[in-house]
Amino acid sequence: MTGPDTQTLADRVAAGERRALARAITLVESNRLDHRASATALLDALPDRQALRIGLSGTPGVGKSTFIESFGQSLTGQGMRIAVLAVDPSSARSGGSILGDKTRMERLSRDPNAFIRPSPAQTQLGGVARRTREVIRLCEAAGYDAVMIETVGVGQSETMVADMTDLFVLLLAPAGGDELQGVKRGIMEIADLILVNKADGDLKPAAARTCADYAGALRLLRKRPQDPDGFPKALTVSALTGEGMDTAWADMQALTDWRREHGHWDRRRRDQARHWFEEEVRQGLLARLTGDAEAKARMQALGEAVARGETAPTAAAEQMLATLR
Amino acid sequence: MTGPDTQTLADRVAAGERRALARAITLVESNRLDHRASATALLDALPDRQALRIGLSGTPGVGKSTFIESFGQSLTGQGMRIAVLAVDPSSARSGGSILGDKTRMERLSRDPNAFIRPSPAQTQLGGVARRTREVIRLCEAAGYDAVMIETVGVGQSETMVADMTDLFVLLLAPAGGDELQGVKRGIMEIADLILVNKADGDLKPAAARTCADYAGALRLLRKRPQDPDGFPKALTVSALTGEGMDTAWADMQALTDWRREHGHWDRRRRDQARHWFEEEVRQGLLARLTGDAEAKARMQALGEAVARGETAPTAAAEQMLATLR
Ligand SMILES: Nc1nc2c(ncn2[C@@H]2O[C@H](COP(=O)(O)OP(=O)(O)O)[C@@H](O)[C@H]2O)c(=O)[nH]1
Ligand SMILES: Nc1nc2c(ncn2[C@@H]2O[C@H](COP(=O)(O)OP(=O)(O)O)[C@@H](O)[C@H]2O)c(=O)[nH]1
Ligand SMILES: [Mg+2]
Ligand SMILES: [Mg+2]
């Protein structure tokens, strides 16, 4: 793509054209070197706009897709434009992409004010993070008011998503008394809002109990400077009936407004930008190990010498590093 | 430490002297540059010996410490010498080191044939991995027959431990029917043996049910080339009464023997050595970002420019990388 084309695409993205946005995302997600250069130019040419970035995490089956369908429509119903992305760091081994189930988001996916983008082909967590950040930037430049980033709780993907969003929402299912320990400790500490889903029909009492348990657990955590009184908060919702969507949104807004007023919003964005930079440097440095054919061949040869037991891992690593000076 | 001293320490470690081993571990764990050089020299001077490396993972409270106390004594009772290490990647945030509870390993910790080493101070996962690999090497050189590496299931620590051991054991507690989804999918796929602990007293029936559930789930997984028929396997044990320790050990031996005979043991060790080498190179490369004062200052300055919004994260990263050529 040449300069003028980049500018045209940037203009069309900024004007909110869905097809231009889709094309821009494909460009950003591409691994081709020439595409990468165009992507960087495109990102440079776009206006700086901010959307509310909402991270959403939960184990499979908890109701993420159904929630997005319901919550998303409640936002577009208020005239907002929303984008929905997925971060799927699952390895080739475990397979399966998320957000593939558009059946559960049938109405939202036909809503002209909603833009849903399934997760791209699997790559390394570092690569996924970089791309997702860029796609968020694209959606913001396209004028969306909110960008939801869905992730399944695999490995460190929640932390990664929390590191690129303004709000982090944890979706849980009603459960027995033991369930508290099922949530990874680190997640409780990054959640801004815990939503116990499926609070309908027979599950309603269990949802209320689970919600009370988590509310209790949240109170045990040390207060974070970025939280007003009463946050982080646990609520019950039903993605199926839509109950609780308004309350959840009101809480997200209250939290966001407070953070904006008290400087936390800006600080968080600044810290995230810095972290993004550091990650880019790290990834770029590591890319040198495989970037040119010579380095790659040397890695390969040394790796084989190590596997054959001829060289100790640490000694071989020192040799490799010496050639990279 | 000078050359002759290194050789003396190496000789004493190789002769099985506990205090020499403890000193060698402290050296390997040190962050001081001169210690690092001595550590590398020490590792070079040690004989190549192999112990059975057993990874052990499980959530807090499942009974890991109690299991190690019981299982460890059952091994030393057969004349074996065993070493016990811990990998604790918990961040400064979540705090708390494992294997600190020597109270649960009271008898084993007084056993002359057992060497227990608590986890060192917290650092980055990459650093923990490197050090743990070196400590394993030390324990092997010291002539231990088995090295157990305990880890709490936080983030990617299980994968890391599995990548440095011959066998990976997952310890579970008896639980209700929903519990299956509580185990991270990736863990099921790296486990060689699932032990449902606390199969005693009132919990015995629940343990049997849980064990049957997991045995069923294991059968649903694709067969791995490194497994003989019947593996991975789920068993019930009681760390409290010692029941099942012999069976667990017999299974570990059967699996190990089969893998040795069929070339899988060697292949796995080779792959792990290669992976270790690659990790060392990556870590060494990344260390350049903070290694000298100039690079560190540049990272800092660019990071601040990004935080102030003066430079885009990607553009700043390109600048930084250019200076590292
Ligand atoms: N009763 C009830 N079921 C729900 C609710 N939300 C989702 N479900 C059901 O839970 C299952 C999983 O939902 P899905 O949205 O695909 O979960 P995901 O895997 O987290 O995306 C489906 O059968 C949904 O119909 C809810 O609020 N109430
Ligand atoms: N009934 C029963 N309790 C056990 C068993 N093993 C451990 N426990 C108990 O479970 C609790 C946690 O054990 P601990 O070894 O500290 O678990 P860790 O956190 O995984 O190291 C303690 O109260 C132990 O006494 C067992 O086999 N049976
Ligand atoms: Mg879904
Ligand atoms: Mg313990």
Side-chain angles (χ1 to χ4, degrees):
Chain A
M1 196 184 299
T2 59
D5 282 348
T6 304
Q7 192 55 55
T8 310
L9 184 57
D11 291 343
R12 289 178 51 209
V13 168
E17 282 185 41
R18 296 171 68 95
R19 287 182 54 189
L21 176 58
R23 213 181 121 210
I25 294 179
T26 304
L27 183 67
V28 155
E29 285 176 352
S30 165
N31 288 322
R32 271 177 50 184
L33 263 183
D34 55 330
H35 285 176
R36 192 90 290 267
S38 303
T40 308
L42 174 67
L43 288 165
D44 258 356
L46 285 168
D48 260 331
R49 290 178 184 152
Q50 285 192 347
L52 177 63
R53 304 176 183 172
I54 306 169
L56 178 72
S57 160
T59 49
V62 75
K64 291 181 297 302
S65 301
T66 315
F67 176 80
I68 291 170
E69 164 86 349
S70 176
F71 183 73
Q73 285 182 85
S74 127
L75 296 194
T76 58
Q78 296 169 43
M80 289 176 66
R81 293 178 64 223
I82 67 157
V84 182
L85 312 172
V87 161
D88 183 9
S90 54
S91 68
R93 230 200 290 188
S94 70
S97 75
I98 52 178
L99 260 178
D101 49 353
K102 281 215 181 174
T103 44
R104 295 221 193 286
M105 295 186 278
E106 217 180 322
R107 292 178 59 193
L108 192 66
S109 59
R110 281 184 280 110
D111 188 328
N113 285 320
F115 179 87
I116 301 182
R117 181 80 179 190
S119 66
Q122 299 145 357
T123 40
Q124 290 214 297
L125 198 57
V128 173
R130 166 194 282 184
R131 255 176 349 206
T132 306
R133 283 191 174 104
E134 293 182 345
V135 174
I136 292 174
R137 266 269 293 145
L138 293 176
C139 294
E140 291 188 311
Y144 285 91
D145 302 297
V147 182
M148 301 195 63
I149 300 107
E150 175 192 351
T151 187
V152 200
V154 178
Q156 306 183 308
S157 67
E158 291 106 334
T159 321
M160 191 185 87
V161 168
D163 193 46
M164 51 180 76
T165 51
D166 304 309
L167 279 180
F168 192 77
V169 177
L170 176 62
L171 210 60
L172 294 174
D178 279 0
E179 197 66 9
L180 264 187
Q181 63 180 29
V183 174
K184 281 177 274 167
R185 190 186 157 92
I187 306 307
M188 285 283 282
E189 283 160 347
I190 56 176
D192 294 306
L193 209 56
I194 290 184
L195 300 181
V196 182
N197 191 32
K198 309 196 183 182
D200 48 45
D202 289 352
L203 290 169
K204 209 162 181 171
R209 268 197 313 275
T210 303
C211 183
D213 286 346
Y214 279 94
L218 285 174
R219 277 191 294 272
L220 296 178
L221 294 177
R222 203 172 337 160
K223 193 165 162 59
R224 305 174 302 184
Q226 71 269 31
D227 293 328
D229 284 344
F231 285 90
K233 194 177 273 192
L235 298 172
T236 56
V237 295
S238 167
L240 214 57
T241 68
E243 214 176 303
M245 295 301 134
D246 291 346
T247 317
W249 175 235
D251 276 323
M252 290 183 207
Q253 279 182 298
L255 180 59
T256 302
D257 289 346
W258 189 89
R259 285 185 179 165
R260 275 188 194 279
E261 272 164 39
H262 292 78
H264 296 293
W265 169 288
D266 282 339
R267 190 170 309 126
R268 184 164 170 143
R269 288 261 172 150
R270 281 201 302 273
D271 290 347
Q272 289 178 349
R274 183 203 297 261
H275 193 216
W276 179 3
F277 154 69
E278 289 166 357
E279 265 303 304
E280 283 285 328
V281 175
R282 275 187 224 112
Q283 296 294 328
L285 207 53
L286 292 178
R288 292 187 186 172
L289 294 177
T290 47
D292 70 286
E294 209 184 310
K296 200 169 167 177
R298 223 179 303 123
M299 271 302 275
Q300 185 70 22
L302 281 167
E304 270 153 27
V306 167
R308 283 193 302 268
E310 292 164 16
T311 320
T314 38
E318 269 167 35
Q319 279 180 49
M320 183 69 206
L321 288 166
T323 68
L324 289 169
R325 291 215 181 272
Chain B
M1 192 186 299
T2 59
D5 282 346
T6 304
Q7 191 56 55
T8 309
L9 184 57
D11 291 344
R12 288 177 53 209
V13 168
E17 282 185 41
R18 294 170 70 96
R19 288 182 53 190
L21 176 58
R23 216 182 120 210
I25 295 178
T26 304
L27 183 68
V28 156
E29 285 176 353
S30 166
N31 288 320
R32 272 178 48 184
L33 263 184
D34 55 329
H35 285 175
R36 192 90 290 268
S38 303
T40 307
L42 174 68
L43 288 165
D44 258 356
L46 285 169
D48 261 331
R49 290 178 184 152
Q50 284 192 348
L52 178 63
R53 303 177 182 171
I54 306 169
L56 178 72
S57 161
T59 49
V62 74
K64 291 182 297 300
S65 302
T66 315
F67 176 81
I68 291 170
E69 164 86 348
S70 177
F71 184 73
Q73 285 182 85
S74 126
L75 297 194
T76 58
Q78 297 169 41
M80 288 175 66
R81 293 176 66 223
I82 67 155
V84 182
L85 312 173
V87 161
D88 184 7
S90 53
S91 67
R93 229 200 293 187
S94 70
S97 75
I98 52 176
L99 259 179
D101 50 352
K102 281 213 180 175
T103 44
R104 295 223 193 283
M105 294 186 278
E106 217 181 321
R107 293 177 61 192
L108 192 66
S109 60
R110 282 185 279 110
D111 189 328
N113 286 321
F115 179 87
I116 301 181
R117 182 80 179 189
S119 66
Q122 300 146 354
T123 40
Q124 290 214 298
L125 199 57
V128 173
R130 166 195 280 184
R131 255 177 349 207
T132 306
R133 284 192 174 103
E134 293 182 345
V135 175
I136 292 174
R137 266 271 292 146
L138 293 176
C139 294
E140 291 189 311
Y144 284 91
D145 302 296
V147 181
M148 300 194 64
I149 299 107
E150 175 192 349
T151 187
V152 199
V154 178
Q156 305 184 308
S157 67
E158 292 105 336
T159 320
M160 191 185 87
V161 168
D163 192 46
M164 51 179 76
T165 51
D166 304 307
L167 279 181
F168 193 77
V169 177
L170 176 62
L171 210 60
L172 294 175
D178 279 0
E179 197 67 9
L180 263 188
Q181 64 181 29
V183 173
K184 282 177 275 170
R185 191 185 156 89
I187 306 306
M188 285 283 283
E189 283 160 348
I190 57 174
D192 295 306
L193 208 56
I194 290 183
L195 300 180
V196 181
N197 191 33
K198 310 196 181 181
D200 48 45
D202 289 352
L203 290 169
K204 208 162 180 169
R209 268 197 313 275
T210 303
C211 183
D213 286 346
Y214 278 95
L218 285 174
R219 276 191 295 270
L220 296 178
L221 294 176
R222 205 174 335 161
K223 194 165 161 57
R224 304 175 303 184
Q226 70 269 31
D227 293 327
D229 283 344
F231 284 93
K233 193 177 272 191
L235 299 173
T236 56
V237 295
S238 166
L240 215 58
T241 68
E243 214 176 302
M245 294 301 135
D246 291 347
T247 317
W249 175 235
D251 275 324
M252 290 184 207
Q253 280 182 298
L255 180 59
T256 303
D257 289 347
W258 190 89
R259 285 185 180 165
R260 274 187 193 280
E261 271 165 38
H262 292 78
H264 296 292
W265 170 288
D266 283 339
R267 189 170 311 126
R268 183 164 172 144
R269 287 261 171 151
R270 279 200 304 273
D271 290 347
Q272 289 178 349
R274 182 202 300 259
H275 193 217
W276 180 2
F277 154 69
E278 289 166 356
E279 264 305 301
E280 283 285 327
V281 175
R282 274 186 225 114
Q283 296 295 328
L285 207 53
L286 292 179
R288 291 185 187 173
L289 295 177
T290 47
D292 70 285
E294 209 185 309
K296 201 170 167 175
R298 223 177 303 122
M299 270 302 275
Q300 184 72 22
L302 281 167
E304 271 152 27
V306 167
R308 283 193 303 268
E310 292 164 16
T311 320
T314 37
E318 268 167 36
Q319 278 180 49
M320 182 70 206
L321 288 166
T323 68
L324 288 169
R325 291 217 181 273

